């Protein structure tokens, strides 16, 4: 079964299935129907179908670039209104660097390769390039689809702009200052988190959140490590599959030059290795999609969940501080009213955040469980399929060779 | 045994050579007696010394032949040497002529005597085949195992001793089952002896495993890590294959040195095999000299078979090298995959531990277990990749080098013969000159020298024909063995791959319900 080479309209060959419930809501359906790679930019065609009153037309289509997605994500994460929501992680930057480098090195005229080997390697690398391409499209699509599925986030104004505005969004990439700023913000945030939970004695009253915090911290670290290891294993597997190419070619040329009695054996072997290569390659890419991508996604999603917890803790700290300020104001009997108002505000905000966070975290858990379940089942089924195919292929070859002996 | 095999109707053989046949008969009876009396093999050993002396005298052919004498040279040559005589043609061209040892399986007959058998191959063909059939039950019933590597001694003088066990029903051995302890240099010593005796007359002597200073040093120094155990295992397997190939060779199996190696409990240390010994350096010098000589020998190949074979082995060598390199890369990457899979398994287990949903946690732990088992599978497969496939290719690359060596020896033999002819010519010219100059005392010496060189030319031709014959047979046997070997190995390798896939199926089938159980 060959993977279709052109862009699939988002059905069976959708590689990234990290979230279950995204496909069905008819009131707002978003998908990336096409993508084009131009030099180092990828242009996504985002299609929206909606019955919601806000949209001008029931069906829209715009072209967006990766930076636009990042901009959209940042508007969400910087928006205080959404502090109690796990913001869907931004899709990773399309990275064809490695693949492009490999193709270039191949093209640079490596004279040790025969023409056959060259053609096969090229085919292999082109397949790889295409796979990366499909993956990046899927990642961007999932991001949008999660937004569309979220009851609160889908109503965001910027989201509408993103989906509707038919001109170029002209979102410039962050300049150095902004990037640096973002970098520092992250550091401050983690330091802050530590301070809040550690020194200031901020007591976590809610058992649920205490548990979640412990869980998420560890989980995030572990899933990041597993993601890394899965990636390495997958890449080894790819190298292995690629090794079959020169072996197959060498066997083929041996076959044509050998004595009559060995010709058939070598030619059959050459054919076998060529087909095994394809199978091994598929195993590697399935492992990539079902495992590596899964872990990667949940690494980012668990980070987003951690961010949510942080924001809640921040709100709690603000609430505590507001309480203290109120007490101080009461004892001094100065500016009690504003202090009271402020304290009320903080309390309200904190409680709202907590309630929202609770829901979000519960959703996160069920999302995670169903995604893992789906991917693990699919992984096992695919591994079985490939192993059975390989086994059959090998056994058939053995029958032929034994018959010839 | 020779006597009873001597077929009576010798007269049915080629008529013109009848008188030579009678000579041959005599020679063979004498051969038998010498064989039965001498436990070791002195005759072939004497040839190398002869070789050396001739080479040092051998003049370079090109400059000396004078145009007006050319006709004479060839006229005389046809009488003595008859290289391209029509009678010889049918003898030389058929495929593997088995006429080396027409009468007994013991093939210690020297090339000198073999030449007579060229004249009556038909008869001996028949008898040879009969012998082979009868002997088949006997000749290949020998099994060699190399096992139990043991470190002996300490520090830089330490060495590994291997147990060599032989199981056989052959009568030439004293017992049916016996074992001895040998070290690596003993194997090299054995090979060196066999090579010296048999290579230059055209036998393809299986090459011994290669030395490895780095590998051995690690073992000596006592590093008990996996790389040194791997090295020892690799060597043990290589030594076993080496001995198995050597005993499969019907000629080499008869060699007393081989027998001594397998049987006797004490073996004199082979010091000449050390890389930096005097003998080692001499070997290197000789190898270099050989390489230079090979480049300057331009042989008139009258036999297309040899030219074809030369080309064929050249091609095969190149192809096998390429394949070998690719398989080595495969082994390396599979080992890497195994290591990475193991790391992933551990990480997945930890992830499973930190997962708070019970069913998912269990599924992840199961995944980790599956991956760990798969890592084991990869390791085993890498093992098979290497020992079954890669090492076979390596062995054959070295074997083909031995075949090429033997073909080179034939070229040298031809060169020697040509040189002898040139020298003979010069001696004749010298004699002619002396006759004119009328110096009777020197004349006699010149006549003696001519006689001497005539013999040498005859000998050279015989040697050349003999080595050609031996090589044809050897190459035939070699190719047969090679085809069998490759077919067996390919099947074995594929079976290992099937095994891996079957295991994978088992593991994933066990995992699937666990994944489905996540609620």
């Amino acid at each position: 079964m060959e993977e279709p080479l052109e862009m699939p309209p988002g059905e069976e060959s959708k590689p990234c299935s990290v979230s279950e419930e995204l496909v069905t809501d008819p009131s707002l359906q978003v998908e990336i129907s096409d993508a084009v790679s131009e030099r180092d930019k990828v242009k996504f065609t985002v299609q929206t179908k909606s019955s919601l009153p806000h949209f001008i037309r029931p069906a829209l289509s715009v072209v967006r670039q990766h930076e636009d997605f990042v901009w959209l994500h940042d508007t969400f994460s910087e928006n205080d209104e959404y502090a109690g929501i796990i913001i869907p992680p931004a899709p990773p930057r399309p990275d064809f660097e490695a693949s492009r480098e490999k193709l270039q090195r191949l093209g640079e005229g490596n004279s040790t390769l025969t023409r056959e080997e060259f053609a096969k390697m090229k085919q292999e690398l082109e397949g790889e390039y295409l796979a990366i391409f499909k993956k990046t499209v899927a990642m961007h699509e999932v991001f949008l689809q999660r937004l569309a599925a979220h009851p609160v986030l889908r109503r965001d104004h910027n989201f509408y702009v993103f989906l509707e505005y038919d001109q170029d969004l002209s979102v410039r990439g962050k300049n150095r200052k902004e990037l640096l700023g973002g970098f520092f913000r992250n550091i401050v945030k983690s330091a802050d988190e530590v301070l809040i939970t550690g020194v200031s004695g901020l007591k976590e009253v809610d058992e649920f959140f205490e548990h979640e915090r412990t869980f998420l911290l560890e989980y995030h670290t572990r899933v990041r490590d597993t993601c890394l290891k899965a990636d390495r294993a997958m890449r080894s597997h790819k190298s292995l599959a690629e090794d079959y190419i020169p072996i197959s070619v060498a066997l083929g040329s041996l076959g044509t030059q050998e004595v009559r009695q060995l010709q058939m054996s070598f030619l059959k072997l050459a054919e076998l290795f060529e087909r095994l290569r394809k199978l091994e390659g598929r195993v590697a890419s399935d492992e990539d999609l079902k495992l590596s991508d899964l872990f990667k996604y949940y690494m980012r999603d668990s980070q987003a969940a951690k961010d949510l917890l942080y924001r809640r803790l921040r709100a709690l700290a603000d609430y505590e501080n507001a309480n203290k300020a109120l007490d101080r104001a009461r004892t001094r009997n100065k500016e009690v009213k504003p202090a009271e108002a402020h304290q009320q505000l903080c309390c309200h905000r904190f409680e709202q955040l907590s309630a929202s966070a609770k829901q979000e975290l519960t959703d996160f858990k069920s999302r995670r469980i169903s995604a893992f379940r789906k991917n693990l089942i699919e992984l096992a089924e695919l591994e079985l399929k490939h192993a059975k195919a390989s086994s059959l292929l090998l056994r058939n070859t053995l029958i032929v060779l034994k018959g010839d002996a | 045994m020779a006597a009873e095999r001597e077929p009576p109707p010798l007269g049915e053989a080629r008529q013109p050579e009848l008188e030579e046949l009678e000579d041959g008969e005599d020679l063979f009876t004498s051969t038998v007696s010498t064989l039965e009396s001498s436990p070791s093999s002195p005759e072939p050993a004497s040839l190398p010394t002869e070789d050396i002396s001739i080479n040092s005298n051998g003049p370079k052919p090109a400059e000396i032949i004078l145009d007006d004498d050319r006709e004479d040279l060839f006229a005389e040559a046809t009488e003595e040497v008859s290289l391209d005589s029509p009678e010889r043609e049918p003898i030389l061209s058929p495929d593997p002529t088995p006429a080396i040892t027409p009468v007994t399986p013991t093939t210690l007959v020297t090339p000198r005597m073999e030449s007579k058998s060229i004249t009556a191959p038909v008869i001996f063909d028949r008898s040879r085949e009969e012998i082979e059939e009868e002997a088949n039950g006997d000749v290949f019933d020998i099994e060699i195992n190399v096992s139990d590597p043991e470190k002996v001694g300490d520090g830089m003088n330490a060495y590994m001793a291997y147990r060599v066990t032989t199981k056989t029903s052959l009568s030439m051995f004293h017992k049916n089952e016996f074992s001895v302890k040998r070290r690596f240099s003993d194997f090299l010593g054995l090979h060196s002896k066999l090579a010296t005796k048999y290579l230059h007359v055209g036998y393809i002597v299986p090459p011994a495993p290669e030395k490895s200073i780095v590998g051995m040093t690690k073992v000596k120094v006592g590093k008990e890590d996996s790389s040194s155990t791997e090295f020892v295992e690799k060597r043990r397997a290589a030594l076993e294959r080496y001995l198995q190939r050597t005993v499969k060779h019907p000629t080499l199996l008869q060699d007393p040195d081989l027998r001594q190696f397998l049987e006797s409990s004490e073996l004199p240390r082979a010091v000449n095999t050390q890389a930096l010994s005097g003998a080692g350096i001499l070997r290197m010098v000789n190898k270099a000299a050989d390489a230079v000589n090979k480049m300057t020998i331009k042989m008139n190949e009258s036999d297309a078979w040899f030219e074809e074979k030369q080309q064929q082995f050249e091609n095969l060598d190149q192809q096998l090298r390429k394949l070998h390199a690719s398989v080595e890369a495969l082994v390396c990457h599979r080992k890497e995959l195994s290591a990475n899979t193991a790391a992933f398994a551990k990480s997945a287990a930890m992830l499973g531990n930190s997962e708070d949903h019970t069913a998912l946690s269990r599924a992840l732990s199961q995944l980790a277990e599956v991956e760990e088992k798969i890592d084991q599978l990869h390791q085993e497969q890498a093992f098979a990749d290497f020992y079954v496939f890669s090492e076979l290719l390596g062995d054959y690359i070295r074997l083909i080098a031995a075949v090429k060596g033997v073909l080179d020896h034939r070229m040298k033999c031809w060169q020697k013969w040509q040189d002898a002819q040139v020298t003979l010519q010069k001696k004749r010219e010298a004699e002619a000159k002396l006759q004119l100059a009328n110096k009777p005392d020197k004349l006699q010496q010149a006549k003696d020298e001519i006689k001497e060189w005539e013999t040498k030319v005859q000998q050279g031709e015989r040697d050349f024909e003999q080595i050609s014959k031996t090589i044809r047979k050897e190459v035939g046997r070699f190719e047969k063995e090679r085809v069998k070997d490759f077919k067996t190995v390919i099947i074995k390798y594929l079976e290992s791959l099937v095994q891996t896939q079957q295991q994978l199926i088992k593991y994933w089938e066990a995992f699937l319900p666990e994944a489905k159980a996540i609620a």
Side-chain angles (χ1 to χ4, degrees):
Chain A
M1 178 196 93
E2 289 294 317
E3 308 268 66
L5 292 182
E6 53 288 316
M7 263 300 302
E11 25 61 274
E12 56 92 67
S13 52
K14 186 199 286 296
C16 183
S17 53
V18 290
S19 282
E20 267 284 340
E21 71 283 8
L22 300 175
V23 267
T24 46
D25 188 354
S27 60
L28 180 59
Q29 275 182 312
V30 183
E31 70 175 18
I32 296 182
S33 60
D34 195 10
V36 170
S37 169
E38 277 172 26
R39 306 192 87 240
D40 45 341
K41 284 198 193 310
V42 181
K43 294 206 154 91
F44 303 94
T45 305
V46 180
Q47 275 191 343
T48 312
K49 286 199 185 70
S50 175
S51 55
L52 290 178
H54 171 90
F55 289 95
I56 308 164
R57 291 187 294 276
L60 305 157
S61 177
V62 292
V63 176
R64 295 286 174 249
Q65 288 180 21
H66 172 73
E67 287 76 20
D68 303 333
F69 289 76
V70 175
W71 164 81
L72 185 61
H73 170 264
D74 290 346
T75 63
F76 280 123
S77 58
E78 285 158 12
N79 190 334
D80 196 50
E81 262 186 57
Y82 304 133
I85 300 176
I86 296 179
I87 310 294
R93 213 170 167 290
D95 182 17
F96 298 99
E97 247 339 286
S99 188
R100 203 177 285 139
E101 237 180 59
K102 271 168 131 181
L103 266 171
Q104 205 176 29
R105 257 186 289 141
L106 185 69
E108 245 147 43
N110 196 348
S111 59
T112 60
L113 292 176
T114 65
R115 208 175 10 189
E116 206 185 331
E117 272 179 21
F118 181 82
K120 286 186 183 169
M121 278 290 326
K122 186 153 170 278
Q123 194 188 58
E124 187 77 29
L125 285 178
E126 281 172 352
E128 206 178 281
Y129 192 92
L130 191 68
I132 297 177
F133 193 71
K134 284 208 275 188
K135 263 209 282 185
T136 193
V137 166
M139 296 278 176
H140 286 74
E141 194 176 62
V142 159
F143 171 68
L144 291 178
Q145 288 178 338
R146 262 186 77 182
L147 290 173
H150 196 285
V152 175
L153 297 176
R154 69 186 350 212
R155 291 200 292 263
D156 183 85
H157 172 72
N158 287 321
F159 189 42
Y160 289 149
V161 168
F162 181 94
L163 292 175
E164 283 185 308
Y165 188 58
D166 54 4
Q167 300 293 320
D168 197 4
L169 282 178
S170 299
V171 168
R172 60 177 171 71
K174 292 190 173 136
N175 62 23
R176 267 188 76 213
K177 194 165 110 186
E178 284 165 339
L179 277 172
L180 227 51
F183 177 65
F184 281 126
R185 252 198 304 275
N186 275 331
I187 293 187
V188 166
K189 193 165 76 175
S190 359
D192 221 350
E193 189 185 284
V194 169
L195 276 173
I196 289 174
T197 56
V199 178
S200 69
L202 206 61
K203 275 267 289 242
E204 180 56 77
V205 270
D206 197 332
E207 214 180 77
F208 173 82
F209 284 103
E210 183 54 41
H211 168 83
E212 285 295 309
R213 207 183 129 263
T214 326
F215 166 70
L216 273 175
L217 278 175
E218 199 190 347
Y219 189 80
H220 175 76
T221 321
R222 296 275 171 85
V223 84
R224 188 166 47 188
D225 181 59
T226 308
C227 172
L228 196 68
K229 302 277 160 64
D231 221 20
R232 273 200 212 131
M234 186 277 293
R235 266 182 277 131
S236 286
H237 218 138
K238 267 215 138 272
S239 302
L240 191 75
E242 280 169 15
D243 282 339
Y244 283 170
I245 296 179
I247 291 179
S248 171
V249 170
L251 285 168
S253 48
L254 257 175
T256 52
Q257 298 187 17
E258 260 286 15
V259 295
R260 192 188 43 81
Q261 299 97 316
L262 281 177
Q263 248 181 7
M264 208 263 282
S265 301
F266 279 124
L267 287 174
K268 266 261 161 257
L269 257 192
E271 195 188 307
L272 171 73
F273 271 91
E274 176 56 26
R275 293 167 76 182
L276 277 181
R277 163 183 71 108
K278 294 216 172 90
L279 281 169
E280 285 288 339
R282 279 203 205 110
V283 173
S285 71
D286 285 339
E287 286 176 352
D288 186 28
L289 293 173
K290 303 298 169 192
L291 283 181
S292 297
D293 278 359
L294 177 70
F295 296 135
K296 245 179 238 149
Y297 194 80
Y298 279 92
M299 179 179 79
R300 279 187 238 115
D301 217 12
S302 57
Q303 181 62 49
K306 272 170 71 182
D307 291 346
L308 169 63
L309 282 181
Y310 163 74
R311 289 194 294 268
R312 178 180 164 279
L313 278 176
R314 225 332 2 123
L316 180 61
D318 290 343
Y319 180 34
E320 295 262 310
N321 289 338
N323 273 336
K324 288 193 192 125
L326 183 58
D327 286 343
R328 273 202 304 271
R330 283 203 178 129
T331 51
R332 276 188 248 143
N333 212 357
K334 257 210 273 182
E335 290 180 20
V336 175
K337 272 278 171 346
E340 252 178 26
H342 181 63
Q343 192 257 23
Q344 281 289 71
L345 200 66
C346 286
C347 174
H348 181 73
R349 183 163 174 274
F350 171 68
E351 282 170 357
Q352 207 182 28
L353 252 182
S354 291
S356 165
K358 206 169 213 158
Q359 183 59 50
E360 287 283 308
L361 287 169
T362 312
D363 287 346
F364 171 69
K365 182 165 175 165
S366 59
R367 209 176 36 238
R368 185 175 81 244
I369 291 167
S370 74
F372 268 71
R373 180 175 190 277
K374 180 163 184 281
N375 279 289
L376 288 176
I377 291 176
E378 283 175 1
L379 173 74
E381 286 173 346
L382 283 167
E383 292 269 7
L384 269 173
K385 180 173 144 197
H386 295 317
K388 284 183 177 156
S390 296
S391 174
L392 187 65
L393 179 64
L394 285 163
R395 274 183 291 136
N396 284 343
T397 310
L398 264 174
I399 289 172
V400 173
L401 289 180
K402 278 181 175 164
D404 173 58
Chain B
M1 204 172 150
E4 60 205 31
R5 288 289 174 184
E6 198 98 347
L10 280 175
E12 280 168 23
R14 302 171 187 285
Q15 304 297 16
E17 284 97 324
L18 203 54
E19 62 278 16
E20 293 176 80
L21 277 177
E22 277 161 4
D23 279 348
E25 203 177 38
D26 286 342
L27 264 169
F28 274 117
T29 45
S30 62
T31 308
V32 172
S33 49
T34 41
L35 280 174
E36 279 162 6
S37 56
S38 59
S40 61
S41 54
E43 293 113 328
S46 66
L47 272 171
T49 48
E50 225 186 274
D51 270 357
I52 294 169
S53 57
I54 287 174
N55 273 341
S56 52
N57 293 340
K60 289 298 151 247
E63 325 88 89
I64 302 174
I65 296 173
L66 304 168
D67 278 351
D68 39 339
D69 281 338
R70 197 184 289 274
E71 260 179 289
D72 284 344
L73 172 67
F74 283 111
E76 308 229 78
T78 45
E79 274 176 57
E80 309 292 334
V81 180
S82 58
L83 172 63
D84 288 327
S85 67
E87 311 135 308
R88 297 239 182 254
E89 224 104 89
I91 298 163
L92 287 178
S93 41
D95 280 313
T97 47
I100 303 295
T101 49
V103 283
T104 57
T106 54
T107 53
L108 278 176
V109 185
T110 64
R112 227 176 295 129
M113 301 184 217
E114 305 276 22
S115 55
K116 294 304 175 189
S117 67
I118 294 173
T119 57
V122 177
I123 297 165
F124 290 112
D125 260 359
R126 228 190 313 127
S127 53
R128 170 96 183 121
E129 270 166 87
E130 281 162 21
I131 293 165
E132 251 189 330
E133 268 164 37
E134 177 191 272
N136 255 339
D138 199 41
V139 173
F140 292 97
D141 179 17
I142 176 167
E143 190 189 313
I144 311 257
N145 284 82
V146 175
S147 59
D148 307 322
E150 220 181 358
K151 186 167 164 197
V152 176
D154 261 319
M156 287 314 284
N157 288 327
Y159 63 89
M160 290 306 271
Y162 302 87
R163 177 175 297 283
V164 178
T165 311
T166 314
K167 291 198 186 92
T168 177
S169 62
L170 290 174
S171 49
M172 71 170 98
F173 291 101
H174 297 126
K175 287 189 271 194
N176 280 356
E177 191 170 328
F178 47 90
S179 77
V180 291
K181 280 275 196 191
R182 295 282 179 255
R183 54 185 291 187
F184 187 66
S185 54
D186 294 335
F187 289 82
L188 294 181
L190 171 68
H191 174 258
S192 171
K193 287 191 197 137
L194 294 176
T196 318
K197 280 192 259 183
Y198 296 98
L199 260 183
H200 69 275
V201 286
Y203 289 97
I204 301 172
V205 177
E210 284 170 351
K211 282 199 260 260
S212 163
I213 297 178
V214 173
M216 251 344 258
T217 311
K218 266 208 231 160
V219 173
K220 286 190 214 258
V221 165
K223 286 189 79 184
E224 285 297 322
D225 64 355
S226 62
S227 72
S228 57
T229 30
E230 251 182 69
F231 172 78
V232 171
E233 172 54 30
K234 180 177 166 186
R235 180 165 274 196
R236 182 209 65 77
L239 291 173
E240 193 173 84
R241 290 193 308 273
Y242 164 66
L243 281 182
Q244 284 169 342
R245 285 215 178 86
T246 309
V247 298
K248 265 202 211 147
H249 194 300
T251 311
L252 297 179
L253 181 59
Q254 309 297 323
D255 188 282
D257 277 323
L258 178 59
R259 225 177 303 153
Q260 188 188 37
F261 179 88
L262 293 174
E263 280 188 317
S264 59
S265 46
E266 286 300 315
L267 207 63
R269 260 297 295 283
V271 283
N272 286 341
T273 57
Q274 280 164 353
L276 295 177
S277 67
I281 293 184
L282 185 64
R283 258 199 303 278
M284 283 195 280
V285 170
N286 280 340
K287 256 195 182 160
D290 278 351
V292 173
N293 276 340
K294 194 167 112 173
M295 291 192 282
T296 56
I297 293 179
K298 261 315 192 119
M299 180 167 167
N300 279 337
E301 188 57 81
S302 57
D303 194 341
W305 187 90
F306 281 95
E307 207 166 306
E308 208 182 285
K309 288 297 166 190
Q310 184 88 25
Q311 193 58 46
Q312 182 196 333
F313 283 111
E314 199 52 61
N315 284 344
L316 191 60
D317 182 44
Q318 271 181 23
Q319 302 288 359
L320 286 180
R321 274 177 204 274
K322 253 179 93 178
L323 184 59
H324 187 229
S326 319
V327 175
E328 285 194 313
L330 181 73
V331 173
C332 184
H333 285 140
R334 216 189 278 278
K335 283 192 182 153
E336 233 177 69
L337 178 60
S338 161
N340 286 337
T341 307
F344 171 65
K346 283 202 186 81
S347 186
M350 300 241 303
L351 185 66
N353 283 342
S354 66
E355 174 58 64
D356 63 351
H357 182 87
T358 337
L360 180 54
S361 170
R362 196 176 55 232
L364 283 171
S365 306
Q366 294 287 65
L367 179 69
E369 264 181 48
V370 167
E371 292 287 334
E372 222 180 277
K373 288 195 200 136
I374 290 179
D375 152 45
Q376 266 304 104
L377 266 186
H378 285 312
Q379 269 188 42
E380 283 165 17
Q381 184 59 60
F383 196 81
D385 286 346
F386 182 71
Y387 284 104
V388 175
F389 202 7
S390 175
E391 285 285 78
L392 171 86
L393 293 172
D395 283 352
Y396 268 93
I397 289 172
R398 281 198 303 278
L399 274 166
I400 286 176
V403 173
K404 292 207 286 189
V406 142
L407 289 170
D408 286 346
H409 274 295
R410 177 175 169 270
M411 281 216 301
K412 283 200 276 203
C413 189
W414 180 85
Q415 188 62 56
K416 204 175 110 187
W417 175 30
Q418 299 302 305
D419 292 349
Q421 284 181 289
V422 168
T423 313
L424 177 63
Q425 179 56 23
K426 281 202 289 184
K427 297 293 177 192
R428 290 207 171 116
E429 286 164 15
E431 188 225 16
K433 284 208 186 100
L434 286 176
Q435 283 217 323
L436 291 174
N438 210 346
K439 290 192 182 150
D441 50 335
K442 287 225 175 113
L443 200 61
Q444 185 52 42
Q445 183 192 1
K447 286 205 194 293
D448 288 340
E449 280 182 3
I450 289 182
K451 267 249 158 15
E452 182 195 334
W453 281 95
E454 279 174 352
T455 319
K456 285 200 178 143
V457 166
Q458 279 182 339
Q459 186 57 47
E461 181 189 10
R462 269 182 258 137
D463 286 347
F464 179 70
E465 281 170 359
Q466 184 53 50
I467 197 176
S468 300
K469 187 160 263 154
T470 308
I471 291 180
R472 276 173 183 272
K473 176 169 172 261
E474 281 289 285
V475 167
R477 193 189 60 83
F478 176 79
E479 284 290 85
K480 235 171 92 185
E481 274 301 316
R482 185 169 76 87
V483 168
K484 216 165 67 176
D485 246 351
F486 272 68
K487 282 193 169 165
T488 313
V489 160
I490 287 172
I491 288 177
K492 200 160 155 206
Y493 182 61
L494 289 187
E495 283 176 346
S496 79
L497 289 175
V498 174
Q499 180 68 2
T500 300
Q501 295 300 326
Q502 302 283 57
Q503 286 292 92
L504 276 175
I505 291 174
K506 243 174 70 186
Y507 296 151
W508 288 110
E509 276 181 343
F511 175 73
L512 194 53
E514 284 294 335
K516 289 191 168 156
I518 302 170

